[in-house]
């Protein structure tokens, strides 16, 4: 089987992290986001993976090529001259995707869950439809594509409404699909949306089914959701592979993932819901909760860090406090005793005055 991951553009909604690292390579649970998907596709028997991007992918190519051997897959980069939307990239990669008649997995690159690809393939085969969408339920469906079922045929989709203005239901498109190669024939070679243009054609043909996802799901393309998604991921990991999590005495409340190379002072208090990356240093008496500390960052003595993403190589000073979905880009410094609430701080900045309200610091 084959898979295409819609990687897209610069990931502007995840700035300032994506100012220095392409979104798919930003670490989620201490691994590049896209590796979770590549690994799951490979485990389901996918041999060819196309990454659809609309910028120069050099960094990604050099980072990801080495995983071809690890997972036994061929990774190709399909580069768009102009953004082709969510359907156009399938047409552009037609040669690879239609090389045989096995179905094609299509993934939005910003969604995390326990990708049920084997089950999805089996479901798809059983229903004999041209396409199957993975569905999940959310409380706020207006930011997503909403699925309405046919009242008489189980799992058959009767209506697909992208970003509905009025409430039509709360079962949404989880951004994961399986398509027969024939679906590519419905797509024209131009910027076009699978949600707005291709799905309606399939609905009309009664060829679009949905498969209900079990467990957690989150679109982690924005900082707030990145942190919420991290909590969900850690909770699932606690149930599935508790041995991967940290149980040192300085952990409180569980759900703490720490890279073995990190140095944590035994008097620090960490958790719940914290990810600490490689070579991170956490000082004496520091308190960290609901946060992600990316590689080579430092949290100095007695700092208090909550709901914060600390970018690579950044430093939080002694007695400093950060909270409110603060995101520090690469190489940011928060000086000693400073308070930061809800700031997005661009790379290489040094903060020496309190930031009390949501703001972007350039
Ligand atoms: N290659 C390429 N080219 N990829 C693109 C382009 C493009 O022009 N435009 C968007 N993408 C990628 C994005 O990077 C992302 O991985 C995916 O396509 C979906 O785009 P988003 O911009 O993240 O869309 P969304 O989150 O508002 O909505 C989509 O995802 C929801 C689930 O999170 C839709 O598919 C909704 O129906 C769905 O519910
Ligand atoms: Mg998205």
């Amino acid at each position: 089987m084959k898979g295409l991951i819609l990687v897209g553009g610069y990931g502007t909604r995840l700035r300032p992290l994506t100012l220095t690292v392409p979104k798919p390579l930003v670490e989620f649970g201490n691994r590049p986001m896209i590796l979770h998907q590549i690994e799951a596709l490979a485990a389901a028997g996918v041999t060819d993976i196309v990454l659809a991007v609309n910028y120069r992918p050099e960094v990604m190519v050099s980072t990801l090529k080495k995983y071809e051997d690890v997972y036994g897959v061929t990774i190709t980069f399909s580069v768009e001259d102009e953004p082709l939307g969510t359907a156009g990239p399938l047409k552009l990669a037609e040669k690879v995707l239609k090389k045989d008649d096995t179905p094609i997995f299509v993934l939005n690159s910003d969604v995390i869950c326990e990708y049920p690809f084997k089950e999805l393939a089996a479901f798809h085969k059983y229903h004999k439809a041209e396409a199957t969408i993975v569905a999940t339920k959310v409380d706020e469906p207006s930011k997503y594509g909403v699925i309405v079922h046919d009242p008489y045929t189980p799992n058959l989709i009767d209506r697909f409404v992208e970003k509905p203005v009025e409430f039509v239901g709360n079962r949404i498109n989880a951004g994961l699909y399986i398509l027969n190669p024939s679906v590519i024939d419905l797509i024209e070679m131009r910027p076009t949306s699978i949600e707005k243009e291709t799905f309606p054609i399939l609905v009309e043909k009664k060829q679009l089914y949905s498969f209900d996802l079990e467990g957690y799901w989150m679109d982690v393309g924005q900082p707030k959701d990145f942190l919420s998604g991290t909590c969900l991921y850690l909770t699932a990991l606690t149930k599935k592979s508790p041995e991967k999590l940290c149980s040192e005495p300085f952990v409180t409340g569980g759900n703490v993932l720490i890279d073995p190379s990190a140095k944590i002072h035994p008097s620090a208090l960490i958790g719940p819901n914290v990810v600490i990356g490689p070579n991170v240093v956490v000082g004496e008496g520091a308190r960290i909760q609901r946060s992600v500390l990316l590689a080579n960052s430092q949290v100095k003595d007695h700092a208090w860090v909550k709901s914060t993403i600390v970018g690579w190589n950044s430093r939080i000073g002694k007695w400093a406090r950060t909270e409110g979905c603060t995101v520090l880009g690469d190489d940011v410094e928060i000086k000693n005793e400073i308070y930061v609430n809800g700031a997005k701080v661009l790379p290489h900045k040094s903060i020496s005055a309190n930031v009390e309200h949501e703001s972007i610091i350039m």
Side-chain angles (χ1 to χ4, degrees):
M1 287 186 287
K2 302 137 299 183
L4 177 136
I5 306 179
L6 288 161
V7 173
Y10 295 100
T12 50
R13 286 178 293 185
L14 208 52
R15 280 181 188 159
L17 301 174
T18 45
L19 288 172
T20 48
V21 172
K23 183 164 79 171
L25 298 186
V26 172
E27 293 88 354
F28 180 86
N30 275 346
R31 301 166 70 211
M33 223 141 85
I34 204 160
L35 271 197
H36 296 268
Q37 297 188 325
I38 291 176
E39 184 183 62
L41 286 172
V46 170
T47 48
D48 293 85
I49 299 177
V50 178
L51 303 187
V53 298
N54 52 48
Y55 54 84
R56 291 155 56 91
E58 285 80 5
V59 194
M60 267 182 25
V61 176
S62 58
T63 313
L64 293 177
K65 273 288 176 187
K66 58 174 179 273
Y67 291 106
E68 287 191 317
D69 291 342
V70 177
Y71 296 117
V73 292
T74 306
I75 300 176
T76 35
F77 288 80
S78 175
V79 185
E80 297 148 46
D81 294 330
E82 58 168 336
L84 289 176
T86 48
L90 287 156
K91 192 73 180 178
L92 187 67
E94 184 167 37
K95 234 183 164 168
V96 182
L97 301 179
K98 287 181 80 179
K99 73 173 204 183
D100 55 31
D101 56 11
T102 60
I104 305 152
F105 289 99
V106 179
L107 282 52
N108 288 355
S109 66
D110 51 9
V111 302
I112 58 124
C113 61
E114 283 169 341
Y115 311 102
F117 295 138
K118 267 193 188 142
E119 297 81 350
L120 176 62
F123 178 100
H124 180 70
K125 198 171 165 194
Y126 175 79
H127 284 275
K128 297 192 174 66
E130 276 189 80
T132 305
I133 299 182
V134 176
T136 186
K137 283 190 175 173
V138 293
D139 295 332
E140 250 226 51
S142 62
K143 330 189 248 180
Y144 306 104
V146 175
I147 290 167
V148 183
H149 279 137
D150 180 286
Y152 307 109
T153 316
N155 307 304
L156 176 65
I157 298 177
D158 191 35
R159 253 177 97 199
F160 185 92
V161 193
E162 183 64 18
K163 315 266 158 47
V165 187
E166 277 172 21
F167 184 86
V168 281
N170 65 351
R171 180 178 271 108
I172 63 138
N173 166 21
L176 310 168
Y177 323 120
I178 187 165
L179 317 174
N180 288 352
S182 60
V183 173
I184 297 180
D185 302 335
L186 306 173
I187 301 169
E188 289 171 29
M189 190 59 259
R190 60 176 168 85
T192 156
S193 156
I194 196 165
E195 298 87 351
K196 291 186 185 147
E197 301 197 49
T198 318
F199 290 163
I201 303 175
L202 289 164
V203 164
E204 195 64 26
K205 293 171 74 182
K206 297 196 184 300
Q207 287 298 322
L208 189 62
Y209 277 71
S210 86
F211 167 90
D212 280 328
L213 182 69
E214 279 184 28
Y216 73 98
W217 177 88
M218 189 62 107
D219 178 331
V220 295
Q222 302 180 42
K224 191 173 129 289
D225 298 335
F226 188 93
L227 283 174
S228 308
T230 299
C231 299
L232 297 173
Y233 170 77
L234 291 171
T235 302
L237 200 60
T238 300
K239 287 198 193 114
K240 225 172 95 188
S241 330
E243 72 285 353
K244 290 193 177 149
L245 291 144
C246 181
S247 56
E248 295 285 337
F250 54 70
V251 167
T252 178
N255 282 7
V256 172
L257 181 66
I258 301 183
D259 186 274
S261 63
K263 289 192 178 60
I264 317 288
H265 195 281
S267 68
L269 190 60
I270 317 263
N273 298 308
V274 174
V275 177
I276 296 185
N279 306 312
V280 168
V281 180
V282 176
E284 199 180 324
R287 173 76 181 105
I288 302 170
Q289 48 194 314
R290 202 176 185 275
S291 292
V292 175
L293 276 48
L294 294 168
N296 306 310
S297 59
Q298 298 176 24
V299 174
K300 306 226 164 123
D301 302 349
H302 311 292
W304 186 93
V305 176
K306 185 178 184 180
S307 296
T308 299
I309 306 174
V310 183
W312 312 271
N313 312 301
S314 288
R315 283 100 45 212
I316 296 185
K318 293 182 183 175
W319 300 284
R321 289 170 71 98
T322 68
E323 64 176 325
C325 199
T326 287
V327 186
L328 311 182
D330 182 20
D331 181 36
V332 166
E333 181 181 17
I334 308 288
K335 297 274 192 197
N336 294 346
E337 299 183 44
I338 293 297
Y339 172 64
V340 180
N341 178 22
K344 311 284 175 281
V345 187
L346 269 63
H348 316 301
K349 284 293 296 179
S350 175
I351 305 290
S352 48
N354 292 347
V355 181
E356 303 198 357
H357 306 289
E358 224 170 271
S359 47
I360 297 171
I361 315 244
M362 318 220 270

